[in-house]
Amino acid sequence: MWTELLPVGRSSASGGYRRFAWTAADAECRAWFEEQARARGLACEVDRNGNQWAWLGDPAAGNAVVTGSHLDSVPDGGAFDGPLGVVSAFAALDELRGRGVRFTRPLGVVNFGDEEGARFGLACVGSRLTAGKLTAEQAHRLTDRDGISLPRAMEAAGHDPEAIGPDPERLARIGAFVELHVEQGRALDELGHAVGVASAIWPHGRWRFDFRGEANHAGTTRLTDRHDPMLPYAETVLAARREAERAGAVATFGKVAVEPNGVNAIPSLVRGWLDARAADQDVLDTVVGGIEQAARKGADGHGVTLDVVRESFTPVARFDHALRDDLVRILARTDGPDVPVLGTGAGHDAGILSASIPTAMLFVRNPTGVSHSPAESATEDDCLAGVRALADVLEGLACR
Ligand code: HGY
Ligand code: MN
Ligand code: MN
């Protein structure tokens, strides 16, 4: 499975993945998923929001156990973020069949669409729509950097955009969702464990800062006559670092657009996107408030206007305690009593769904902690330990 997926959407220039929602690479990933389902005799379906499901048993029976993750990537992402959860889901099913277990609940494998939000700017679109956390109207207004709207992109990929919307009946059939994911930090490595269990996801969001100034000649405009939006933007980037450090949070400007984007022109517009996350909502509010204050001060000082728009926000997700304790107990049988239970600053579909259904996550050790980069890694032994852990968990949940 891994070898088949490896070349899909991989850039030969960077070695990273560019598997964006509703593109050709995404379609290839989806075809791969369908093929895996078919090869195992699972019934494959695409839901109204473009999420793919493969079923063993009839989900209409209810109380289903679902596992899986996503196959899309950030720009130049790594191989593991997302795909490890989907590959491990199919591999865990193979392992369980090898063990000869009898399933007492329907078992589903899922590939959630557009988890990273790399193309349309909003993460977890597939699960948000399904859980009713994003309305069809809001989704219809999303556009990519070329001005292509989400409905147009869906249509071009053969999915009906008019069908999208909340899917409570589907969620009501699921008794538990367990997402396995590569760890996006080094906690497991430091603790010396291959596999851990998630406790909570930090609240996080994305804010767009538009600094508008005046385009002018870079050679002839005196410094005192300029309204250069790059300057308050630069001050804001530094303020983000300062505020995050002060609060023990994280804040990142990782995407920026400049107009007219000429070497010899003072910009008319600098648009920067802030990604900010903290363990606690109040801390996050303070951090973002501090950054915005610094941005306003900088903008005023340079005769530049500023608009700040919160483009998305995900409150803290605390995973179901009973399910989490189940996972810890099941893992402890093979790993011993000190199973790591970790919080994370990364968003996941499991976090979105945690408000509607019992969800849990397993993390697999990432020796460097690097993620959202081609350098993301996990050893084969650890990936196999993850598959065994997921199989144990699914056996514990779906075969009792
Ligand atoms: O941005 C994130 O946390 C993600 O991996 N979706
Ligand atoms: Mn990711
Ligand atoms: Mn992910």
Side-chain angles (χ1 to χ4, degrees):
M1 284 188 276
W2 205 243
T3 314
E4 277 171 28
L5 264 182
L6 271 182
V8 180
R10 189 178 203 174
S11 152
S12 51
S14 67
Y17 289 93
R18 299 175 183 174
R19 295 169 176 160
F20 307 140
W22 307 110
T23 60
D26 190 35
E28 263 191 81
C29 289
R30 288 164 176 275
W32 172 88
F33 183 93
E34 228 180 286
E35 178 52 31
Q36 296 306 318
R38 206 196 46 75
R40 289 171 176 78
L42 308 177
C44 195
E45 56 169 342
V46 178
D47 71 19
R48 57 190 302 184
N49 298 313
N51 308 305
Q52 275 182 305
W53 304 79
W55 289 106
L56 178 70
D58 182 2
N63 203 22
V65 175
V66 176
T67 184
S69 188
H70 61 97
L71 293 174
D72 69 319
S73 78
V74 297
D76 287 333
F80 297 84
D81 177 356
L84 185 63
V86 181
V87 168
S88 300
F90 285 120
L93 172 60
D94 296 344
E95 160 92 13
L96 288 177
R97 281 176 160 167
R99 291 181 192 173
V101 301
R102 202 176 63 80
F103 293 92
T104 54
R105 296 165 73 176
L107 183 74
V109 178
V110 64
N111 166 30
F112 281 110
D114 199 2
E115 194 275 346
E116 296 288 8
R119 183 169 175 194
F120 297 101
L122 178 65
C124 300
V125 169
S127 58
R128 271 186 218 274
L129 279 168
T130 297
K133 304 266 176 226
L134 171 71
T135 65
E137 294 70 34
Q138 289 168 327
H140 278 189
R141 284 199 294 273
L142 296 172
T143 54
D144 71 6
R145 66 168 69 198
D146 299 320
I148 298 173
S149 68
L150 176 63
R152 261 187 62 204
M154 279 182 166
E155 221 160 23
H159 187 77
D160 176 12
E162 294 311 317
I164 66 173
D167 205 345
E169 295 84 11
R170 178 171 294 275
L171 289 181
R173 293 171 169 186
I174 302 172
F177 172 55
V178 181
E179 179 172 359
L180 177 147
H181 205 280
V182 68
E183 198 203 342
Q184 296 170 292
R186 292 196 51 236
L188 288 174
D189 191 58
E190 280 162 10
L191 294 167
H193 282 259
V195 181
V197 176
S199 55
I201 297 179
W202 287 13
H204 55 283
R206 298 177 181 186
W207 290 260
R208 197 183 76 224
F209 285 61
D210 288 349
F211 297 91
R212 285 175 210 279
E214 187 179 72
N216 213 330
H217 197 293
T220 60
T221 317
R222 288 183 307 183
L223 293 179
T224 49
D225 291 342
R226 297 181 180 205
H227 300 283
D228 182 350
M230 190 62 84
L231 300 171
Y233 172 66
E235 288 168 5
T236 307
V237 174
L238 298 176
R241 172 67 183 225
R242 209 169 44 236
E243 294 294 326
E245 253 169 17
R246 191 161 31 216
V250 288
T252 310
F253 278 93
K255 177 175 166 180
V256 60
V258 180
E259 287 177 18
N261 211 18
V263 180
N264 53 357
I266 297 160
S268 56
L269 169 73
V270 176
R271 175 170 281 163
W273 280 266
L274 169 69
D275 177 310
R277 313 183 189 212
D280 164 283
Q281 173 79 57
D282 291 344
V283 173
L284 182 57
D285 291 345
T286 307
V287 168
V288 175
I291 298 169
E292 188 172 337
Q293 209 179 348
R296 297 226 174 267
K297 192 163 160 243
D300 287 348
H302 294 285
V304 162
T305 66
L306 171 66
D307 289 306
V308 181
V309 180
R310 190 179 83 174
E311 291 197 331
S312 68
F313 184 74
T314 310
V316 66
R318 288 193 184 82
F319 292 111
D320 187 85
H321 289 187
L323 189 57
R324 179 202 63 198
D325 292 348
D326 267 354
L327 263 59
V328 169
R329 215 174 12 254
I330 293 166
L331 262 56
R333 285 189 217 135
T334 44
D335 289 4
D338 53 346
V339 175
V341 180
L342 313 167
T344 176
H348 301 282
D349 297 305
I352 301 294
L353 297 184
S354 66
S356 312
I357 54 174
T359 60
M361 290 189 76
L362 290 174
F363 292 131
V364 171
R365 174 164 50 195
N366 173 345
T368 62
V370 173
S371 187
H372 286 186
S373 147
E376 185 178 78
S377 71
T379 66
E380 190 170 329
D381 280 352
D382 285 355
C383 292
L384 292 173
V387 170
R388 275 192 302 275
L390 182 60
D392 291 347
V393 163
L394 297 175
E395 184 174 353
L397 294 175
C399 307
R400 36 180 163 218

